[in-house]
């Protein structure tokens, strides 16, 4: 065949191929056409062998151009058609691959942390931001740390406020009735200024019912520094309460009595259910009894080895279960320790 | 303490405050009021009985009354006959609810209309008397009853144990007045009652043999009393305070106790043998028949009031039956004494008896209060029971009260409160509370608390009094700051570090439980884990009488509870303390442990898989604390399956056990199926100081090879792994057993353990030939050392 004939033939093949490609309906057909027109045994790809025998450089150049144009055109057509086919396939996804998106999710098999752990950690976080650090201590305590060092002399009626478990092994041992023994231990261990928070288990000899448990969790904060005042105590309790309940809640201090603080208070938080207007949760008062607090009694400072002439201190404490109960609307203390998974899995 | 609003406001001299306002003032003064119960008399009227005739048709005795209500007359049927014509009565018309809750209905009784009710004292909550219709002293028909019977409300007031002076209407009235900015007019000490001859000391001799337990004893003889009912105003006040009226003599002692807070007792003077009162400790074997009809055995720790022969009362607790005032009594010995609080409390606990008297004495009262109570009671007995008070009471006072003087500077109060209280305000507050203030030349104050206040010793006590009346709501809230600060390193707390482990376990499907530290000692005994257990001396129940020594039984109880409630398979864990007695000191060890449990596994194979899963979860959880290698050694610990238990070893130290629970243990908890669990000490792990270091990522590809090693049954995976690691050389990056097989492909008594191994060089890409050579060496060593053959 002459060079003109070959060039002409290349253009014909290209035209035929482009037409076939444009008609192709599936990616597999495109692949087949690629083999047919551009495969190593195709007519087009055989052409370079043919025109290598042609003598003139000019002829080879002309033929080469025709060959390249044909190949490029076919390749471009193949690519374009492939994109078109892919686009039309994706356009159908809504019909071809639809699933029922309202079907329930498959829950990962993951456990949970206990609600008391969560609430305790939250309380700790608020206080840690105020510069306090966590101290923990023994639950099986001596009479000295639990009572006597805290101004609760033996035989005195004030001990009746905290009915106590004792042990068979030693008359001096008991289960701590509050976290306050750690006030003494913290003062012994650390030098003022002291800013600590003490979470932990405590025990009172109560029968178990919806609002009592012989074992419960308390958290207690202690500050010992120069010049601390009732105002500082109030501000700290308010900062704590706002951290735990939010800034819109109010705090009320009522005078009260604890042997280890003077003056002593109970603090109430305004009811979050009724915003202080009075409801069933707060028994109509608008206030929720939350915790006890006061300025550390000079005797207690002295028993902790701190000079009451130089330092003052304040302490406050509350029940962690009570915070959790108010927060989540839990009405029975026993639920925390029963560990019914249907309860635990709500938090 | 239950308090009568009418009585309280009468004593306080305030007429213009509602019960709710009283409650608010007392609450903010430190005496929280739990309940306010108004006695609602609205809707009740005064009626005059015009006629009374027996009911003609009723089989029970009933009387029909015509009652004048001012503008009309009604027919009222009653069962009591005391409302004779001319009587003034309280009438409740149909539809009214009377104070005790009775709703009056419009009815006909055997044909006669009953158009209302004439109230008894009980129906009006005046007393518990329901024996007849309450007759009024005054009023006119149709008048509102509220105008005749003063309005009252019952208040439940909490009194803290440091303020026994406020276990009284007078004490609370003083607080009420002070809180309202006023001062009580009435002096604390009543005037002396003029006495007659012969002197009291001739009628009774008092001897205190135990002055350590009795600081003061006043015996006041009052003769010629006429025992009878008390007047209505007194009965009503007693009843409002929760005390049943009995007769005028007993009522007066109770009334004064409720008014002043000083417990009193009245003996029949003629029953006191030898006309002698001896305050002494009881003798061994002595007994007393008490007023409540109980015979009580006394011991030598208990203080008694005895006559010449035997005890006639238990000091500060209860009187004896034989010496009690009766209807026939004419001569009374009034006792006003001061007993030691610790002793009264001990006796009260030993006898398991608490009385109005003991609750006051045990908190510690002022001996001066005895005199105030005696004077007040004597005056009332003269007034209400025609008693003749004799002069010169027998008053033994071996331990007079020490006067208290607190010296402080007003700035100290400001400094403690964090607010400036003006000197005038401070002084006014203290005077309203009956304190005497003496201001010294140097500006310091000398403060004399009233005698009945035994709780004031130091400047902080004064600051509390000032603060209460000043109002803590006026103290500005501040935060400590701008002070010297020694740095406490803000390291995360142990609990916060352990949260890493908690979160991993939760991610592995375990839910955190918090169980009680007090458990059943019998359970620990039965399970064989009671060694070093701390036993509680005074448990509330058998279920909670011992401190736990291990966490797993508590978790098994959690599993059992959930199984009973329809969840047979649970995965739970707890991070908590156990309590282990020590030989060398009284306080036990309280190590923090991890316990985890997974129950409800169906087969032996499921048990094995769960064991491996728990092991994997444990390693990840411990890795969250410290990067470490955990080793395991076959063991047979209590509670665990003897063939499926491993000792867990961390840094060469055994810390606990992992394994399947023993089937017998599961049966003890009524748990079906199998269970795996772990329990270990966490503190040794936390104490490890292993830094976490990053490794550079490998630059060359790894070559993987699997090898199935056939060995005798008793050869364990860890042993083979050790051999492989040793023989693998530096190019062996890891070797991990991943499959165990027994069956037709391996000989009887043998098993096949498949390992997957990774080889890698940090310097170049390994060739297959190189790795195959290593593998060949491995095979030889395994064959030599463990007699291993290999599966294709």
């Amino acid at each position: 065949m002459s060079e003109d004939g070959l060039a002409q033939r290349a253009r014909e093949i290209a035209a035929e191929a482009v037409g076939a490609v444009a008609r192709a309906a599936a990616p597999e057909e495109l692949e087949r056409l690629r083999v047919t027109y551009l495969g190593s045994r195709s007519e087009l790809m055989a052409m370079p062998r043919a025109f290598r025998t042609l003598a003139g450089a000019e002829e080879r150049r002309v033929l080469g151009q025709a060959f390249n144009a044909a190949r490029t055109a076919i390749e471009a057509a193949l690519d374009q058609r492939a994109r078109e086919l892919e686009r039309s396939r994706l356009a159908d996804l809504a019909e071809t691959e639809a699933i029922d998106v309202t079907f329930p999710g498959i829950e990962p098999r993951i456990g949970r942390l206990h609600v008391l752990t969560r609430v305790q950690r939250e309380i700790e976080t608020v206080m840690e931001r105020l510069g306090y650090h966590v101290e923990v201590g023994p639950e099986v305590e001596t009479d000295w740390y639990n009572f006597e060092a805290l101004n609760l002399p033996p035989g005195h009626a004030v001990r009746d406020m905290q009915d106590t478990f004792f042990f068979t092994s030693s008359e001096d041992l008991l289960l701590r009735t509050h976290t306050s023994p750690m006030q003494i231990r913290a003062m012994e261990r650390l030098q003022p200024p002291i800013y600590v928070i003490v979470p932990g288990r405590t025990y009172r000899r109560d029968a178990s019912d919806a609002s009592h448990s012989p074992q419960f969790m308390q958290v207690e904060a202690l500050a010992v520094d120069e010049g601390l005042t009732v105002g500082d105590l109030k501000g700290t309790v308010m900062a704590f309460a706002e951290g735990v309940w939010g800034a819109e809640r109010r705090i009320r201090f009522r005078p009260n009595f604890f042997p280890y603080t003077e003056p002593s208070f109970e603090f109430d938080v305004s009811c979050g259910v009724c915003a202080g207007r009075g409801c069933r949760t707060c028994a109509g008062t608008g206030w929720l009894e939350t915790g006890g607090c006061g300025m550390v009694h000079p005797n207690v400072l002295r028993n902790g080895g701190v000079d009451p002439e130089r330092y003052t201190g304040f302490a406050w404490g509350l029940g962690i279960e009570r915070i959790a109960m108010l927060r989540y609307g839990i009405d029975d203390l026993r639920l925390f320790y029963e560990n019914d998974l249907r309860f635990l899995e709500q938090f | 303490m239950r308090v009568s609003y009418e009585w309280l406001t009468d004593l306080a001299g305030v007429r213009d405050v509602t019960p709710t306002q009283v409650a608010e003032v007392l609450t903010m003064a430190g005496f929280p009021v739990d309940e306010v119960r108004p006695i609602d008399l609205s809707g009740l009227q005064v009626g005059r009985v015009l006629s009374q005739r027996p009911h003609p048709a009723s089989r029970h005795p009933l009387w029909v009354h015509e009652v004048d209500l001012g503008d009309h007359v009604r027919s009222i049927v009653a069962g009591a006959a005391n409302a004779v014509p001319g009587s003034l009565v309280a009438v409740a018309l149909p539809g009214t609810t009377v104070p005790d809750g009775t709703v009056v209905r419009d009815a006909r009784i055997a044909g006669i209309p009953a158009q209302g009710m004439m109230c008894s004292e009980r129906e009006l909550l005046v007393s518990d008397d329901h024996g007849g219709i309450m007759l009024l002293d005054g009023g006119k028909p149709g008048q509102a009853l509220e105008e005749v019977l003063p309005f009252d409300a019952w208040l439940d007031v909490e009194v803290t144990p440091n303020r026994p002076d406020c276990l009284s209407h007078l004490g609370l009235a003083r607080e009420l007045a002070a809180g309202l900015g006023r001062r009580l007019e009435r002096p604390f000490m009543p005037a002396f009652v003029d006495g007659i001859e012969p002197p009291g000391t001739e009628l009774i001799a008092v001897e205190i043999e135990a002055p350590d337990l009795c600081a003061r004893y006043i015996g006041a003889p009052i003769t010629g009393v006429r025992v009878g009912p008390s007047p209505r105003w007194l009965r009503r006040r007693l009843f409002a305070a929760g005390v049943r009226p009995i007769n005028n003599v007993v009522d007066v002692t109770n009334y004064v106790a409720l008014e002043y807070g000083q417990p009193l007792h009245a003996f029949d003077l003629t029953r006191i043998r030898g006309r002698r009162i001896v305050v002494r400790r009881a003798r061994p074997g002595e007994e007393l028949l008490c007023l409540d009809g109980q015979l009580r055995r006394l011991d030598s720790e208990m203080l008694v009031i005895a006559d010449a022969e035997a005890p006639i009362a238990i000091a500060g607790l209860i009187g004896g039956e034989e010496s009690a005032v009766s209807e026939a009594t004419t001569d009374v010995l009034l006792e006003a004494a001061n007993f030691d609080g610790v002793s009264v409390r001990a006796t009260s606990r030993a006898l398991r008896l608490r009385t109005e008297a003991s609750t006051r004495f045990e908190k510690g009262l002022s001996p001066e209060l005895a005199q105030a109570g005696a004077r007040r009671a004597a005056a009332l007995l003269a007034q209400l029971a025609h008693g003749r008070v004799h002069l010169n009471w027998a008053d033994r006072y071996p331990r007079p009260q020490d006067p208290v003087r607190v010296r402080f500077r007003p700035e100290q109060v400001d400094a403690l409160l964090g607010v400036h209280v003006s000197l005038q305000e401070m002084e006014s507050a203290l005077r309203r509370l009956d304190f005497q203030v003496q201001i010294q030349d140097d500006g310091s104050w000398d403060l004399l608390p009233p005698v009945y206040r035994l709780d004031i010793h130091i400047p902080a006590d004064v600051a509390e009094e000032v603060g209460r009346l000043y109002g803590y709501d006026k103290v500005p809230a501040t935060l400590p700051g701008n002070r010297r600060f020694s740095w406490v390193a803000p390291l995360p707390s142990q609990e916060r570090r352990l949260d890493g482990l908690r979160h991993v376990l939760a991610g592995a499907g375990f839910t955190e439980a918090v169980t009680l530290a007090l458990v059943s000692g019998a359970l620990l005994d039965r399970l064989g884990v009671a060694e070093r257990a701390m036993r509680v001396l005074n448990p509330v129940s058998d279920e909670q009488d011992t401190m736990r020594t291990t966490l797993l039984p508590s978790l098994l109880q959690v599993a059992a509870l959930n199984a009973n409630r329809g969840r047979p398979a649970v995965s739970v864990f707890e991070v908590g303390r156990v309590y282990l007695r020590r030989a060398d000191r009284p306080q036990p060890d309280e190590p923090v442990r991890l316990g985890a449990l997974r129950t409800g596994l169906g087969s032996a194979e499921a048990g094995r898989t769960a064991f491996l899963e728990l092991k994997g979860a444990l390693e990840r959880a411990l890795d969250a604390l410290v990067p470490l290698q955990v080793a395991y050694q076959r063991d047979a610990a209590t509670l665990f399956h003897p063939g499926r238990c491993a000792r867990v070893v961390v840094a060469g130290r055994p810390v606990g056990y992992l394994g399947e629970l023993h089937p017998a243990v599961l049966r003890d908890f009524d748990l079906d199926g199998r269970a795996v669990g772990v329990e270990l000490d966490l503190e040794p792990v936390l104490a490890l100081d292993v830094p976490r270091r990053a490794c550079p990522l490998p630059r060359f590809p790894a070559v993987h090879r699997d090898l199935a090693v056939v060995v005798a049954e008793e050869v364990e995976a860890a042993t083979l792994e050790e051999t492989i690691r040793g023989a693998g050389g530096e190019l062996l990056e890891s070797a991990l057993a991943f499959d165990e097989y027994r069956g037709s492909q391996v000989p009887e008594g043998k098993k096949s353990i498949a390992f997957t191994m990774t080889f890698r060089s940090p310097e170049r890409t390994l060739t297959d030939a190189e790795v195959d050579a290593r593998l060949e060496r491995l095979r030889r060593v395994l064959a030599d050392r463990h007699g291993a053959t290999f599966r294709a």
Side-chain angles (χ1 to χ4, degrees):
Chain A
M1 205 185 277
S2 75
E3 67 267 30
D4 281 352
L6 277 174
Q8 177 60 31
R9 183 63 197 145
R11 279 190 289 275
E12 282 168 16
I13 292 170
E16 181 192 323
V18 169
V21 166
R23 288 189 300 275
E28 304 78 55
E29 203 178 335
L30 283 184
E31 200 44 46
R32 197 163 46 71
L33 290 171
R34 183 187 297 277
V35 173
T36 307
Y37 291 106
L38 298 178
S40 52
R41 269 175 272 170
S42 63
E43 186 185 351
L44 185 65
M45 296 314 275
M47 283 184 181
R49 279 194 299 278
F51 64 69
R52 213 171 286 139
T53 59
L54 294 174
E58 178 56 22
E59 288 91 344
R60 283 207 297 276
R61 195 186 58 81
V62 168
L63 255 179
Q65 276 177 354
F67 167 77
N68 280 333
R71 196 174 70 174
T72 309
I74 297 169
E75 281 175 346
L78 279 167
D79 286 355
Q80 189 197 336
R81 186 58 188 156
R83 279 198 299 278
E84 282 169 11
L85 286 176
E86 177 67 5
R87 207 176 304 125
S88 82
R89 188 181 70 82
L90 292 181
D92 288 346
L93 283 181
E95 291 87 49
T96 56
E97 296 191 4
I99 60 166
D100 181 351
V101 295
T102 68
F103 219 76
I106 298 165
E107 211 185 313
R109 211 184 59 114
I110 291 178
R112 290 161 196 264
L113 264 52
H114 197 281
V115 59
L116 289 177
T117 303
R118 290 173 182 279
V119 173
Q120 180 186 330
R121 210 67 78 243
E122 191 181 332
I123 291 168
E124 290 168 4
T125 303
V126 171
M127 292 310 292
E128 281 170 346
R129 284 183 192 146
L130 289 174
Y132 289 67
H133 78 268
V134 172
E135 288 271 317
V136 293
E139 292 163 27
V140 179
E141 264 294 5
T142 62
D143 188 89
W144 166 258
Y145 283 103
N146 194 73
F147 286 132
E148 214 169 337
L150 296 171
N151 240 0
L152 287 132
H156 201 278
V158 289
R159 289 195 175 191
D160 289 346
M161 292 163 88
Q162 303 181 0
D163 213 348
T164 311
F165 287 113
F166 296 96
F167 287 96
T168 52
S169 54
S170 162
E171 273 187 17
D172 189 43
L173 282 190
L174 45 81
L175 277 167
R176 66 177 179 190
T177 55
H178 45 190
T179 43
S180 305
M182 279 305 295
Q183 290 191 12
I184 303 294
R185 291 186 181 274
M187 286 190 276
E188 285 174 346
R189 205 175 80 75
L190 306 163
Q191 293 296 317
I194 296 169
Y195 290 89
V196 295
I197 175 166
V198 184
R201 286 175 187 254
T202 50
Y203 303 81
R204 302 228 177 133
R205 226 179 141 265
D206 288 323
S208 190
D209 65 28
S211 52
H212 294 88
S213 169
Q215 308 171 58
F216 55 100
M217 302 278 293
Q218 270 194 351
V219 63
E220 168 143 349
L222 170 73
V224 179
D225 204 341
E226 288 176 347
L228 295 180
T229 67
V230 171
D232 292 334
L233 166 62
K234 225 175 126 171
T236 303
V237 169
M238 284 172 74
F240 166 75
E242 288 185 8
V244 171
W245 286 285
E248 68 281 3
R249 304 289 278 275
R250 284 165 297 126
I251 298 290
R252 176 174 86 164
F253 275 64
R254 283 184 288 109
N256 201 285
F257 168 71
F258 304 107
Y260 28 94
T261 48
E262 187 72 32
S264 306
F265 311 89
E266 286 203 75
F267 60 92
D268 303 338
V269 176
S270 63
C271 180
V273 177
C274 61
R277 284 186 295 274
C279 67
R280 225 167 56 97
T281 303
C282 57
T285 62
W287 295 100
L288 301 166
E289 280 183 37
T290 303
C293 60
M295 303 303 292
V296 180
H297 196 286
N299 292 350
V300 175
L301 291 175
R302 219 170 277 127
N303 289 334
V306 170
D307 177 8
E309 299 297 323
R310 179 168 173 201
Y311 296 104
T312 52
F314 62 75
W316 57 258
L318 45 77
I320 296 179
E321 290 90 347
R322 173 142 177 89
I323 304 301
M325 289 171 93
L326 293 175
R327 159 80 53 89
Y328 298 109
I330 299 164
D331 58 4
D332 193 330
L333 191 57
R334 287 167 294 198
L335 287 167
F336 293 114
Y337 295 104
E338 199 177 67
N339 296 294
D340 188 319
L341 286 164
R342 293 169 300 179
F343 173 74
L344 298 181
E345 286 170 357
Q346 294 176 34
F347 303 96
Chain B
M1 176 184 179
R2 202 163 80 195
V3 167
S4 156
Y5 161 82
E6 178 271 321
W7 191 356
L8 191 67
T9 49
D10 184 36
L11 287 172
V14 296
R15 282 270 164 270
D16 46 358
V17 287
T18 65
T20 315
Q21 285 167 328
V22 169
E24 181 65 23
V25 171
L26 289 178
T27 297
M28 293 315 288
F31 303 91
V33 178
D34 297 334
E35 201 193 335
V36 177
R37 181 176 171 187
I39 310 301
D40 185 8
L41 299 178
S42 63
L44 280 75
Q45 306 173 33
V46 178
R48 183 194 304 276
V49 178
L50 298 177
S51 69
Q52 181 187 47
R53 64 190 163 88
H55 194 293
S58 168
R59 265 176 285 157
H60 306 289
L62 286 178
W63 278 265
V64 182
H65 304 77
E66 297 293 312
V67 181
D68 177 11
L69 289 168
D71 52 358
H72 66 292
V73 172
R74 286 192 173 230
S75 162
I76 297 177
V77 179
N82 66 321
V84 296
S87 302
L88 289 168
V89 294
V91 174
L93 297 183
T96 314
T97 304
V98 297
D100 82 335
T102 307
V103 181
V104 182
R105 291 202 180 76
D106 205 347
R108 296 179 78 82
I109 297 174
I112 307 273
Q115 301 163 323
M117 182 173 88
M118 297 186 290
C119 300
S120 69
E121 289 196 348
R122 192 175 77 188
E123 279 148 357
L124 296 179
L125 297 181
V126 164
S127 78
D128 62 344
D129 184 2
H130 197 47
I133 289 154
M134 184 173 99
L135 305 181
L136 301 174
D137 302 328
K140 38 185 211 298
Q143 194 180 7
L145 185 65
E146 283 170 308
E147 292 170 23
V148 179
L149 202 61
F151 169 74
D152 198 9
W154 297 353
L155 279 64
D156 261 322
V157 185
E158 269 180 58
V159 178
T160 51
N162 60 325
R163 293 299 304 272
D165 62 298
C166 282
L167 285 171
S168 72
H169 281 72
L170 195 57
L172 290 171
R174 191 178 299 109
E175 292 287 339
L176 174 63
L180 292 167
R182 305 174 206 179
R183 194 177 170 193
L184 213 58
E185 297 297 325
R186 175 181 184 141
F188 165 68
M189 189 58 73
F192 184 71
V193 188
D194 283 337
I196 58 159
E197 294 281 357
T201 44
E202 284 177 20
L203 298 174
I204 190 78
V206 170
E207 211 177 306
I208 301 178
E209 284 185 5
D212 55 328
L213 302 184
C214 177
R216 188 176 198 176
Y217 194 100
I218 301 173
I222 294 165
T223 56
V225 299
R226 283 182 230 156
V227 176
S230 300
R232 176 171 300 137
W233 63 265
L234 190 149
R235 280 186 289 125
R236 189 177 184 218
R237 285 180 170 184
L238 283 184
F239 190 69
V243 174
R244 216 161 62 86
I246 295 169
N247 61 47
N248 49 7
V249 175
V250 174
D251 289 354
V252 162
T253 60
N254 288 333
Y255 184 81
V256 174
L258 291 167
E259 190 175 46
Y260 276 80
Q262 168 67 43
L264 299 170
H265 187 66
F267 296 104
D268 186 325
L269 184 60
T270 60
R271 300 290 186 95
I272 299 176
R273 290 158 293 202
R275 291 291 168 108
R276 267 183 75 205
I277 288 286
V278 184
V279 184
R280 60 166 169 83
R281 289 181 165 82
R283 301 196 175 113
E286 280 186 331
E287 292 179 330
L288 179 68
L289 180 63
C290 298
L291 271 173
D292 60 358
Q294 301 277 314
L295 183 69
R296 290 193 169 81
R297 244 191 128 68
L298 309 171
D299 68 46
S300 57
E301 297 293 305
M302 298 173 181
L303 189 70
V304 297
I305 315 304
D307 60 11
E309 293 174 17
I312 56 173
I314 305 172
L317 214 61
I318 194 166
E321 179 68 42
E322 280 179 53
S323 59
V325 169
S326 70
E327 300 297 311
T329 298
T330 56
D331 296 349
V332 167
L333 179 72
L334 182 68
E335 168 197 287
N338 186 271
F339 303 117
D340 175 68
V342 172
S343 160
V344 169
R345 177 169 175 266
T347 304
S348 160
R349 286 167 87 93
L351 294 175
R352 296 204 170 126
L353 174 68
R354 275 173 75 89
T355 61
E356 289 275 336
S358 74
T359 55
R360 287 176 171 79
F361 277 125
E362 69 183 18
K363 293 176 178 78
L365 297 176
S366 157
E368 296 296 320
L369 194 58
Q371 187 171 13
R375 287 188 180 181
R376 174 69 173 146
L380 280 172
L381 285 173
Q383 181 194 331
L384 303 175
H386 307 280
R388 294 194 305 260
V389 180
H390 291 259
L391 51 83
N392 277 0
W393 297 342
D395 181 359
R396 293 276 174 273
Y397 195 0
R399 285 190 299 123
Q401 183 176 335
D402 290 329
V404 174
R405 179 182 297 265
V406 183
R407 174 161 295 187
F408 70 101
R409 305 187 64 86
E411 309 90 83
Q412 278 179 283
V413 172
D414 288 357
L416 193 62
L417 295 181
V419 70
H420 175 63
V421 182
S422 74
L423 298 183
Q424 291 85 337
E425 237 173 321
M426 209 177 278
E427 188 178 350
S428 154
L430 292 168
R431 289 200 191 280
R432 274 181 279 154
L433 291 172
D434 241 1
F435 286 68
Q436 289 179 46
V437 181
Q438 296 168 352
I439 300 174
Q440 308 297 309
D441 291 343
D442 66 353
S444 65
W445 290 21
D446 263 10
L447 196 69
L448 290 96
V451 287
Y452 50 83
R453 290 294 299 272
L454 300 181
D455 60 319
I456 306 292
H457 306 284
I458 56 173
D461 297 327
V462 179
E464 166 149 63
E465 297 303 296
V466 172
R468 278 195 311 131
L469 291 197
Y470 175 77
Y472 286 112
D473 52 332
K474 287 188 267 173
V475 175
T478 51
L479 280 179
N482 296 326
R483 298 194 177 89
R484 183 175 66 88
F485 212 95
S486 74
W487 188 254
V488 178
L491 296 174
S493 66
Q494 175 172 301
E495 280 295 296
R496 212 174 269 282
R497 288 183 69 195
L498 289 172
D499 280 351
L501 167 132
R502 286 187 172 93
H503 286 297
V504 171
L505 288 170
F510 290 82
T511 290
E512 187 186 21
V514 176
T515 63
L516 299 175
L518 280 169
V519 298
S520 155
L523 175 69
L524 297 189
D525 287 334
R526 197 165 68 232
L527 296 173
V529 291
E531 202 192 324
R532 298 181 67 190
M534 302 277 300
R535 312 270 179 176
V536 172
L537 182 68
N538 54 341
V540 278
S541 81
D542 295 349
E543 290 303 305
Q544 298 184 23
D545 62 0
T546 303
M547 300 302 286
R548 66 182 177 197
T549 56
T550 155
L551 298 178
L552 280 173
S554 301
L555 293 176
L556 285 161
Q557 280 174 334
V558 169
L561 175 126
N562 281 285
N564 281 336
R565 296 181 183 178
R567 178 101 59 121
V570 299
S571 297
V572 287
F573 76 96
E574 177 164 15
V575 175
R577 297 185 191 186
V578 299
Y579 309 81
L580 303 171
R581 202 180 56 230
R582 285 173 66 119
D584 57 339
R585 59 150 211 237
Q587 271 175 286
D589 285 329
E590 299 185 14
V592 176
R593 289 211 180 148
L594 165 69
L597 178 73
R598 187 168 157 205
T599 60
L601 306 164
S603 65
E605 186 50 33
R608 177 180 174 272
T609 306
F611 174 95
L612 297 177
E613 284 171 355
L614 178 59
K615 191 173 176 181
L618 174 70
E619 286 173 11
R620 273 296 297 275
L622 293 177
D623 181 71
L625 305 178
V626 174
L628 48 76
Q629 290 290 323
V630 186
Y632 303 88
Q633 295 158 358
R634 175 170 295 284
D635 206 328
T638 317
L639 302 180
F640 288 94
H641 187 301
R644 297 180 165 207
C645 170
R647 189 183 322 136
V648 181
V649 180
V650 170
R653 178 176 169 174
V655 292
Y657 298 96
L658 167 77
E660 257 192 54
L661 277 292
H662 199 290
V665 170
L666 295 178
R667 200 173 313 121
D668 198 305
F669 289 90
D670 281 331
L671 284 167
D672 292 332
R674 290 166 176 261
V676 293
V678 63
E679 178 160 353
L680 51 82
D681 283 318
L682 288 170
E683 280 150 329
V685 178
L686 289 170
L688 290 176
D689 188 16
V690 185
R692 197 179 290 273
R693 306 288 303 173
C695 292
L697 297 181
R699 293 170 54 206
F700 296 96
V703 178
H704 302 281
R705 289 284 188 276
D706 288 353
L707 184 64
V709 186
V710 179
V711 287
E713 267 300 343
E714 62 274 13
V715 182
E716 300 200 319
T719 316
L720 294 176
E721 189 186 308
E722 209 184 314
T723 303
I724 292 173
R725 280 180 188 283
E730 76 290 346
L731 295 181
L732 178 68
E733 189 176 78
S734 71
L736 189 69
F738 70 97
D739 188 36
E740 193 183 63
Y741 171 80
R742 290 175 186 77
S744 56
Q745 310 282 314
V746 296
E748 188 76 11
K750 302 240 176 188
K751 64 182 177 185
S752 159
I753 298 178
F755 284 86
T756 182
M757 286 165 284
T758 306
F759 294 88
R760 193 197 303 269
S761 158
E763 287 141 14
R764 61 200 158 80
T765 303
L766 294 178
T767 63
D768 280 345
E770 237 176 331
V771 172
D772 289 338
R774 296 268 167 179
L775 206 60
E776 198 39 51
R777 203 172 85 200
L778 261 182
R779 286 173 196 260
R780 273 201 313 278
V781 176
L782 284 167
D784 283 355
R785 216 171 280 173
H786 306 291
T789 57
F790 304 92
R791 287 207 292 147

